[in-house]
Amino acid sequence: MTEYKRVDANDIETIRRMINDDTRVIYDTDISEDYGHDELGGIFSLPDVVVKILSAKEASDIMKYANENHISVTPRGAGTGLVGSSVPLEHGIMIDTSLMNHILELDDENLTIDVEPGVLLMDLAAYVEDNDFFYPPDPGEKSATIGGNISTNAGGMRAVKYGVTRDFVRALEVVLPNGDIVNFGGKVVKNSSGYDLKDLMIGSEGTLGLITKATLKLLPKPKKVISLLIPFPSLKDAINTVPLIIKSKSIPTAIEFMQREVIEDAEEYLGKPFPDKQSDAYLLLKFDGNSQEEIEKAYDTVAKLCLEQGAVDVLISDTEEREESIWKARGAFLEAIKGSTTYMDEVDMVVPRNRVNEMVEYLHDLQPEVGLRIKSFGHAGDGNLHAYMLKDNLSDEEWELRVSAAMEKVYAKARDLKGQVSGEHGIGYAKKPYLRESLPIDSLELMNGIKSVFDPNNILNPHKIAQR
Ligand SMILES: Cc1cc2nc3c(=O)[nH]c(=O)nc-3n(C[C@H](O)[C@H](O)[C@H](O)COP(=O)(O)OP(=O)(O)OC[C@H]3O[C@@H](n4cnc5c(N)ncnc54)[C@H](O)[C@@H]3O)c2cc1C
């Protein structure tokens, strides 16, 4: 077990000299408890000092100093992660990127945009759309940073048609644990130039380097967007239709499934009624394209298919107001479920798309067996399901027993279905045991080997992902 040096008064003095702006070096009682956890809650540890960097050079100076003095460093974006990956388990230095929030260059010849890591997803999306471009990755939490999105390979609703964050990263500027500033990738469409170090960084959860700049790929903004809200008599009818939609070769931008109980939580949370509540289960589909005819052709096929499979209705949302109320409710599900219980733990597994119905039914039927309420919703179109296990009024001991038994079962089922432990939230600290169970030892050793090449002194975000 590695011993880390805690930050002392001398270290603080050195860091303050490096940064030369006391408002950006926070320590002692000035550190907000927010820095001790992420949105999962449950895993808590405060850093000794938080440094709000403004440049790669500042990050480099800090990293070099930390490496030489064996102090742990934890990168932090907006702290919206759900697996404890930005929690500084060895305290040390937290590098907060929130002030590196500038959009640097929109290059309309290469269809790319250069951004600093602290730019928020919502600000990036609004900026590119104002310029008639489109950045497709669309995770539910719009106040996450782009650096965090890249580091977790965030997914989101539009993955069915467009893919995930990884598919939209062209190049990265990275500060390595020894303080070197390096560039991986470039403004190129193709790249077969050796091992893809940029791709290694994506999804590495701040364990290999600190991202200080990203070049992202953009698409032209689709001219038309339409959503369909499709009520089904039962969850089984709704979810059994998803593989058929995929098989129909029509490609919606998003296919989400939701149940009435989660919709009701969202209504309460938002204080706004959902446009329809006649059914127990719904599919929510989005289509985009460049003309009304193109979209209508695509959704017509899917609408007919859903009706053949027993859908009660097909509600077309073609006004901005309706569109906003539906997707706002969808975006609020996680927070709404959180608000409906005392504590919860989540599973973010992904299964092959043609097995998604088996997994949803399994989760539904598991509740009486494990004695827990389990709410689920998710990106049914890409096989990525979010299941939330709710503590309600259970004692801490009973909760621990039941939730770990339930988790074991769910991950075992995901393995049976040839799925993976995480579709988009990552492994961080919370999902480490399940990654270990799901991957062969060779893969885990390769991962830890990569970590030791990038970070031989293991100072960067230790104890995360595959590390013991
Ligand atoms: C309500 C809600 C809905 C969500 N919906 C989705 C969803 O649909 N899809 C999805 O994928 N996720 C979702 N998430 C999870 C979360 O928003 C993502 O994981 C997001 O990418 C985290 O970004 P962040 O800026 O908050 O990063 P943080 O939580 O601060 O950090 C996450 C990880 O990235 C590392 N990191 C952050 N910045 C850098 C950097 N510059 N360089 C190196 N490492 C860095 C951290 O060390 C940590 O390991 C949701 C979360 C919430 C609360």
Side-chain angles (χ1 to χ4, degrees):
M1 192 76 176
T2 325
E3 289 283 325
Y4 291 87
K5 178 181 181 306
R6 295 291 295 263
V7 174
D8 60 23
N10 284 336
D11 302 319
I12 299 275
E13 220 18 71
T14 310
I15 293 169
R16 284 172 64 188
R17 275 201 304 274
M18 277 174 196
I19 299 299
N20 201 18
D21 174 357
D22 282 354
T23 63
R24 296 191 286 113
V25 182
I26 304 159
Y27 52 97
D28 286 344
T29 50
D30 288 340
I31 297 180
S32 152
E33 69 92 41
D34 280 350
Y35 284 115
H37 64 89
D38 65 3
E39 283 297 314
L40 172 71
I43 301 167
F44 186 86
S45 174
L46 279 172
D48 295 322
V49 58
V50 176
V51 185
K52 294 183 161 203
I53 55 161
L54 288 182
S55 66
K57 166 80 172 63
E58 286 184 351
S60 161
D61 290 346
I62 292 166
M63 207 82 102
K64 193 162 182 290
Y65 180 77
N67 198 34
E68 283 165 3
N69 291 281
H70 208 68
I71 299 170
S72 82
V73 176
T74 309
R76 173 93 166 186
T80 70
L82 293 167
V83 289
S85 58
S86 65
V87 179
L89 297 172
E90 294 287 351
H91 313 287
I93 303 169
M94 174 168 275
I95 298 188
D96 174 335
T97 62
S98 61
L99 297 180
M100 285 190 79
N101 58 357
H102 300 98
I103 292 178
L104 302 172
E105 183 201 23
L106 195 158
D107 178 345
D108 60 3
E109 292 178 341
N110 284 302
L111 303 191
T112 57
I113 189 161
D114 285 1
V115 296
E116 290 186 330
V119 168
L120 303 185
L121 176 64
M122 60 188 168
D123 294 337
L124 173 69
Y127 182 87
V128 300
E129 285 180 27
D130 284 349
N131 286 281
D132 218 21
F133 283 104
F134 179 45
Y135 176 69
D138 187 32
E141 178 56 71
K142 315 300 178 204
S143 62
T145 64
I146 292 301
N149 278 183
I150 295 171
S151 303
T152 55
N153 189 23
M157 331 257 183
R158 300 192 192 116
V160 185
K161 180 167 177 180
Y162 292 104
V164 296
T165 300
R166 181 184 301 284
D167 301 302
F168 291 86
V169 180
R170 289 266 199 253
L172 293 174
E173 177 188 82
V174 173
V175 178
L176 295 176
N178 65 6
D180 286 357
I181 303 174
V182 292
N183 288 282
F184 300 144
K187 276 190 187 178
V188 288
V189 175
K190 295 174 169 180
N191 192 352
S192 298
S193 317
Y195 298 141
D196 198 328
L197 300 173
K198 161 188 69 85
D199 262 357
L200 265 184
M201 286 302 303
I202 301 168
S204 66
E205 299 183 55
T207 61
L208 302 182
L210 181 97
I211 297 163
T212 44
K213 188 164 91 178
T215 301
L216 306 171
K217 167 181 146 181
L218 299 178
L219 295 179
K221 184 173 153 188
K223 295 195 170 42
K224 291 262 164 207
V225 179
I226 277 183
S227 299
L228 303 184
L229 181 65
I230 310 186
F232 283 84
S234 69
L235 175 65
K236 199 173 162 109
D237 293 319
I239 206 72
N240 281 344
T241 307
V242 175
L244 302 176
I245 297 175
I246 306 287
K247 207 173 161 188
S248 77
K249 301 198 180 77
S250 119
I251 306 183
T253 319
I255 310 177
E256 301 283 313
F257 87 94
M258 49 180 85
Q259 289 176 268
R260 194 198 345 228
E261 52 181 24
V262 179
I263 293 173
E264 284 169 352
D265 287 341
E267 281 183 319
E268 200 177 320
Y269 177 77
L270 293 171
K272 273 194 170 169
F274 193 72
D276 188 273
K277 266 192 0 200
Q278 59 182 308
S279 280
D280 276 346
Y282 292 81
L283 290 184
L284 174 58
L285 290 98
K286 193 178 248 197
F287 291 85
D288 64 15
N290 286 323
S291 71
Q292 187 77 17
E293 299 73 52
E294 180 192 340
I295 297 187
E296 272 174 14
K297 205 169 147 211
Y299 82 61
D300 210 41
T301 316
V302 174
K304 280 192 188 123
L305 198 155
C306 289
L307 290 168
E308 279 163 24
Q309 295 306 309
V312 178
D313 204 347
V314 174
L315 307 167
I316 298 171
S317 141
D318 48 6
T319 66
E320 226 168 81
E321 198 189 353
R322 206 178 169 125
E323 181 80 3
E324 201 197 301
S325 73
I326 295 175
W327 285 98
K328 214 171 179 177
R330 164 61 188 92
F333 281 172
L334 197 158
E335 292 300 327
I337 294 176
K338 223 179 188 181
S340 77
T341 186
T342 50
Y343 182 68
M344 65 178 201
D345 203 347
E346 70 135 25
V347 180
D348 153 55
M349 97 293 279
V350 59
V351 297
R353 299 199 276 190
N354 64 349
R355 313 300 295 271
V356 75
N357 45 350
E358 284 175 67
M359 194 72 212
V360 171
E361 279 177 42
Y362 179 80
L363 287 169
H364 191 255
D365 297 343
L366 188 65
Q367 303 184 66
E369 191 185 326
V370 294
L372 287 175
R373 281 199 304 144
I374 302 177
K375 291 197 181 180
S376 68
F377 62 85
H379 314 307
D382 55 34
N384 182 202
L385 298 171
H386 299 321
Y388 297 92
M389 307 192 179
L390 311 186
K391 181 170 184 255
D392 296 337
N393 295 323
L394 293 174
S395 66
D396 290 349
E397 298 75 45
E398 197 54 38
W399 160 249
E400 285 304 332
L401 280 175
R402 291 191 197 185
V403 79
S404 57
M407 289 279 183
E408 288 292 340
K409 283 180 187 289
V410 172
Y411 285 114
K413 181 71 181 173
R415 278 199 300 278
D416 279 357
L417 297 177
K418 306 269 181 280
Q420 300 283 333
V421 172
S422 169
E424 55 182 17
H425 295 164
I427 300 302
Y429 186 67
K431 305 300 166 198
K432 267 172 48 164
Y434 309 111
L435 184 76
R436 263 192 233 124
E437 280 170 18
S438 85
L439 287 184
I441 187 75
D442 289 0
S443 302
L444 292 169
E445 279 175 7
L446 280 169
M447 285 190 189
N448 285 327
I450 290 166
K451 166 74 175 164
S452 63
V453 170
F454 274 77
D455 184 14
N457 296 329
N458 196 18
I459 59 146
L460 199 53
N461 210 0
H463 312 299
K464 308 289 166 62
I465 311 186
Q467 286 199 306
R468 290 216 159 262

